[in-house]
Amino acid sequence: MIETINNILSDISGWLWGWIMIFLLLGTHIYLTVILRFPQRYIWKAIKLSIHKDNDSTGNVSQFGALATSLAATIGTGNIIGVATAVALGGPGAVLWCWLTGLFGISTKYAEGLLAVKYRVKDEKGHFLGGPMYALERGLGWKKMATLFALFTAVASFGIGSTVQANAITTLTHETYGISPAIMGILIATLVALVVIGGIKSIARVCTMLVPFMAFFYIAGCIYILVVNGSYVVPALKLIVESAFTTKAAGGGFAGSTIMIAARYGIARGLFSNESGMGSAPIVAAAAQTRNPVRQALVSSSGTFWDTVVICALTGLVIVSSVIAYPDISHENGATLTKMAFAKIPYIGAPLLTFGLITFAFSTILGWELYGERAVSYLDSKHWKYYYRASYIMSVFVGSIMHLSIVWNLADCMNALMAIPNLLSLLFLSGVLVSETRKYLWNNQLDETSDEE
């Protein structure tokens, strides 16, 4: 019975994340890039805004706190194992397609952040609430669609947010250090409880400290590995570019791959890792202290830059250069390829992989708790929030000790179902996106304070 359900969910997930979804997401990325006049060109301004506190504005957390929380949820095992999976299935050319997807996805993340602040509301306790459900309801009047998005988000949080991330941590620590999954599960659940009990400010505070540290450590480690693989970096870059646009055998220890296969897996992994278009990141962006929607939109867009354009690109380059340097590395699946590629690097390889996976997975657990809690609050603001917190913390422990194939497939389905109503809101409210961007960005009025509430 369980196997039958898993097979059905797998088939549904495969269909939802097939070419139709890829074209819809990538098409939205490109469409928004064009009508918003390439917001990617403002990425350095976005980074500068993200590290400055907008004190004279309304919101619950700083712009950087909102960015760090969304990055915490976004930067997960997909940035490491997900990239390796794309390389294993689509060849080295998948790395370039993954990178290009992130580059265009900056526009979509910008648009999501803008609508999140534009249509946010304030509850009786002074908390700012927003995200695709509020854009759908207040911007388009689609209450039923907004309810569906919130429901899909709440269900998805138990999959990609808690159980699969906790399982990744306990599996790694058990295989590497022999620690019991049950003991590790209790530890993780306890740490999560200590953070989430304080709400969004507590989560943002921890993420603000954790995300820069873990990202810096991982990026520095990848750069070190690329220095060790120095003579293979240029051949790896050449192989990645050639494999993305040619059908010849990849060479360097890789099997041949068609352009379509490389594009499919690279785009799919890129979309999955940076979550641009999924509608999750705008939920926390709505709580940011910002004087107008466009300022937070720019800050939000920098998240995709760090997630995919930097971290995923470095991971892909490390993996491809390592396989060229050590042709004996097995790349039949992403997990094996990742583990063997990093293990070949003396001293730092294995600890870097362990640290990266544990911190990335733990931060994802924190970020998705907030997403799920805000979705539940939208569905029922008075009764279910605390029940959700307790259930989420419990699911962290359950995920640490159970087999997760069904959970993975269910989470994939929910993520795709989240993306559909969110993308519709972006497309149908594209006129609002252009109007707000013209008002504040194109007319150089970023310092102006919005008079909307």
Side-chain angles (χ1 to χ4, degrees):
M1 182 65 178
I2 294 178
E3 184 177 351
T4 301
I5 295 174
N6 187 44
N7 290 336
I8 293 173
L9 288 173
S10 179
D11 291 340
I12 296 174
S13 173
W15 181 80
L16 287 172
W17 283 104
W19 280 110
I20 295 177
M21 178 60 74
I22 289 175
F23 279 128
L24 179 61
L25 275 163
L26 190 59
T28 302
H29 288 352
I30 296 173
Y31 171 71
L32 292 175
T33 296
V34 173
I35 68 167
L36 296 174
R37 301 180 186 176
F38 292 83
Q40 293 88 341
R41 59 199 173 105
Y42 299 101
I43 193 63
W44 301 119
K45 182 186 291 291
I47 294 172
K48 183 179 179 180
L49 285 173
S50 71
I51 59 177
H52 285 86
K53 200 168 183 178
D54 204 354
N55 290 315
D56 300 326
S57 57
T58 54
N60 302 125
V61 297
S62 67
Q63 288 182 309
F64 183 75
L67 174 63
T69 304
S70 66
L71 279 174
T74 305
I75 300 177
T77 54
N79 295 83
I80 303 177
I81 295 178
V83 174
T85 300
V87 174
L89 298 175
V95 175
L96 181 61
W97 288 108
C98 181
W99 186 83
L100 288 173
T101 300
L103 187 64
F104 283 104
I106 290 174
S107 299
T108 301
K109 192 63 71 74
Y110 168 91
E112 290 176 319
L114 193 158
L115 294 182
V117 177
K118 172 75 174 176
Y119 294 109
R120 68 183 181 179
V121 299
K122 186 192 293 187
D123 67 11
E124 64 277 4
K125 295 182 179 179
H127 298 148
F128 282 89
L129 309 174
M133 51 276 205
Y134 294 92
L136 286 162
E137 179 183 351
R138 302 186 67 218
L140 295 169
W142 295 357
K143 174 66 176 178
K144 291 183 179 179
M145 188 75 77
T147 300
L148 284 175
F149 175 86
L151 179 62
F152 295 146
T153 302
V155 175
S157 69
F158 288 101
I160 189 176
S162 62
T163 52
V164 297
Q165 304 298 332
N167 189 265
I169 295 174
T170 55
T171 299
L172 178 65
T173 53
H174 178 68
E175 291 179 353
T176 306
Y177 305 108
I179 301 174
S180 167
I183 294 175
M184 196 66 190
I186 293 173
L187 176 61
I188 300 168
T190 301
L191 291 174
V192 170
L194 291 173
V195 177
V196 303
I197 197 171
I200 184 172
K201 290 186 177 180
S202 175
I203 294 174
R205 185 164 54 247
V206 172
C207 292
T208 299
M209 294 186 293
L210 180 62
V211 168
F213 174 70
M214 74 180 191
F216 174 79
F217 184 88
Y218 183 75
I219 291 172
C222 285
I223 292 173
Y224 170 82
I225 292 175
L226 292 176
V227 171
V228 173
N229 289 346
S231 58
Y232 300 98
V233 172
V234 174
L237 281 170
K238 183 179 179 181
L239 182 60
I240 287 171
V241 174
E242 289 182 348
S243 300
F245 300 106
T246 63
T247 57
K248 69 178 183 180
F254 291 96
S257 176
T258 66
I259 298 174
M260 294 298 287
I261 291 176
R264 176 186 174 185
Y265 286 108
I267 293 171
R269 286 296 96 188
L271 295 171
F272 195 75
S273 69
N274 62 52
E275 297 182 11
S276 292
M278 193 180 294
S280 50
I283 295 174
V284 67
Q289 293 173 335
T290 185
R291 63 187 71 180
N292 61 65
V294 171
R295 286 177 73 94
Q296 181 56 35
L298 287 170
V299 173
S300 294
S301 71
S302 67
T304 299
F305 171 80
W306 292 118
D307 174 85
T308 305
V309 179
V310 176
I311 293 179
C312 284
L314 284 173
T315 302
L317 196 54
V318 164
I319 289 172
V320 174
S321 65
S322 296
V323 173
I324 296 176
Y326 310 101
D328 61 311
I329 290 178
S330 170
H331 43 85
E332 57 186 17
N333 64 69
T336 301
L337 173 57
T338 303
K339 190 173 182 179
M340 294 186 69
F342 277 81
K344 287 289 185 179
I345 307 303
Y347 308 116
I348 196 176
L352 174 65
L353 178 61
T354 301
F355 175 82
L357 283 174
I358 290 176
T359 55
F360 285 10
F362 181 73
S363 67
T364 299
I365 293 173
L366 296 180
W368 269 91
E369 193 283 333
L370 177 61
Y371 295 163
E373 185 176 313
R374 288 299 169 90
V376 169
S377 294
Y378 178 82
L379 296 171
D380 187 330
S381 61
K382 295 182 178 180
H383 302 96
W384 289 101
K385 181 174 73 173
Y386 297 106
Y387 293 114
Y388 171 82
R389 283 186 186 176
S391 300
Y392 191 88
I393 293 167
M394 193 179 302
S395 73
V396 172
F397 173 75
V398 172
S400 301
I401 59 176
M402 70 178 288
H403 183 66
L404 294 178
S405 58
I406 292 180
V407 178
W408 260 115
N409 287 322
L410 180 61
D412 282 347
C413 293
M414 292 300 105
N415 290 338
L417 292 173
M418 285 172 61
I420 293 171
N422 178 57
L423 292 173
L424 289 175
S425 72
L426 294 174
L427 294 173
F428 279 90
L429 291 171
S430 58
V432 175
L433 294 172
V434 171
S435 175
E436 293 291 304
T437 302
R438 178 182 296 110
K439 178 179 179 180
Y440 293 107
L441 184 59
W442 299 341
N443 291 336
N444 296 316
Q445 301 294 325
L446 276 178
D447 292 331
E448 293 295 315
T449 299
S450 172
D451 56 3
E452 297 180 25
E453 277 294 336

